[in-house]
Amino acid sequence: METAATALTFRDATAADVDELVALIESAYRGDDSRVGWTTEADILEGQRTDPEGVLEVVKSPDSRLLTVERDGRIVACCQLEHRGENAYFGMFAVSPLLQGAGLGKLIIAEAERQAGEDWGVKEMQMTVISVRDDLIAWYERRGYRRTGRTTPFPYGDERFGIPQRDDLAFELLVKELA
């Protein structure tokens, strides 16, 4: 019987992975392909979610890593971990829409938390989520994250982050204490 954890390989991304990672991230959040999964932002944002330059910057940054998840030699998920002093930032989280809802995300976030705690000794994981993404925020709350009520404005006018389809977007900070 196959489980979510069947034959998963975790590794840090390299520059050679950038194009495949951009395609994965875009498929999880934008356009019609993203509607297969539940993490789509297609109704609130159009345009790109990321670009090769942004992904390569994360891959090359000395304080950051792009944790890449493979199954059968194919990249099926990824997430960014950034060391920020006593905390780690979790972002750029994407799971292939065809694999969403099978428990893969839970395994990946748990592994990301484990690695950030072990490798950097951080006490807290932080992330920002678009504040109108109620289902996604609820999913993170079930993983132990809590809403802080602290928000930062969405970068309206900067198409590197997408083209907003509504005028009430902001990023809310979520945090989780790590054991």
Side-chain angles (χ1 to χ4, degrees), residues 1-70:
M1 179 176 130
E2 271 208 18
T3 65
T6 301
L8 292 182
T9 303
F10 292 85
R11 65 173 177 80
D12 287 346
T14 67
D17 298 319
V18 168
D19 289 341
E20 193 174 353
L21 288 164
V22 170
L24 168 71
I25 295 163
E26 293 298 315
S27 76
Y29 290 96
R30 298 288 197 273
D32 287 336
D33 288 349
S34 71
R35 294 178 194 278
V36 173
W38 69 275
T39 61
T40 184
E41 294 173 343
D43 293 330
I44 58 173
L45 291 162
E46 290 183 352
Q48 72 178 31
R49 177 64 151 60
T50 192
D51 55 35
E53 296 77 20
V55 172
L56 188 60
E57 187 177 315
V58 172
V59 169
K60 289 188 168 190
S61 170
D63 293 323
S64 198
R65 66 167 52 134
L66 193 54
L67 187 60
T68 301
V69 185
E70 291 180 329

Side-chain angles (χ1 to χ4, degrees), residues 46-128:
E46 290 183 352
Q48 72 178 31
R49 177 64 151 60
T50 192
D51 55 35
E53 296 77 20
V55 172
L56 188 60
E57 187 177 315
V58 172
V59 169
K60 289 188 168 190
S61 170
D63 293 323
S64 198
R65 66 167 52 134
L66 193 54
L67 187 60
T68 301
V69 185
E70 291 180 329
R71 179 186 277 163
D72 299 326
R74 287 186 29 253
I75 296 174
V76 296
C78 67
C79 64
Q80 173 190 8
L81 292 172
E82 184 178 324
H83 190 191
R84 296 182 177 177
E86 303 235 335
N87 305 315
Y89 178 80
F90 178 85
M92 212 178 280
F93 188 27
V95 175
S96 168
L98 299 173
L99 299 175
Q100 290 178 19
L104 201 55
K106 290 179 215 175
L107 294 171
I108 294 163
I109 198 167
E111 177 63 12
E113 292 165 356
R114 186 193 68 74
Q115 286 192 23
E118 282 186 13
D119 296 350
W120 296 327
V122 296
K123 305 291 184 228
E124 182 178 85
M125 187 77 88
Q126 301 179 339
M127 68 174 72
T128 55

Side-chain angles (χ1 to χ4, degrees), residues 6 11 58 144-145 151 161 174:
T6 301
R11 65 173 177 80
V58 172
Y145 287 80
T151 61
F161 297 94
L174 277 61

